[in-house]
Amino acid sequence: MINGFTRRYGVHRLVHVEFFGAMEPAILREKQLKRWHRAWKINLIEASNPQWRDLALDHGLSR
């Protein structure tokens, strides 16, 4: 587990990922998602990953 956010909050799975071609739209999207209600975030995850699979391995990341 990586020190910082993941260790502090017990994050164990990557359940949603979005890719951007440039930093600015990625930062804007992150800020947008941080303002969302928890239910909206859950709906976003379930729309693309209904089983809440760990997507880390799909993207070459290890646990």
Side-chain angles (χ1 to χ4, degrees):
M1 191 176 293
I2 298 171
N3 286 329
F5 181 88
T6 57
R7 185 174 299 264
R8 184 177 310 131
Y9 293 100
V11 175
H12 300 286
R13 289 181 294 178
L14 173 66
V15 295
H16 181 74
V17 64
E18 295 181 26
F19 295 97
F20 295 87
M23 186 74 74
E24 185 176 349
I27 291 170
L28 291 173
R29 178 62 168 165
E30 181 180 11
K31 289 179 179 184
Q32 177 187 43
L33 292 175
K34 285 182 178 184
R35 290 190 305 264
W36 282 19
H37 298 281
R38 181 178 178 86
W40 297 356
K41 294 173 189 176
I42 290 171
N43 288 339
L44 177 67
I45 294 164
E46 291 186 345
S48 62
N49 187 4
Q51 288 78 37
W52 289 63
R53 287 186 321 101
D54 187 349
L55 303 175
L57 297 177
D58 294 353
H59 297 287
L61 304 171
S62 63
R63 293 177 86 197

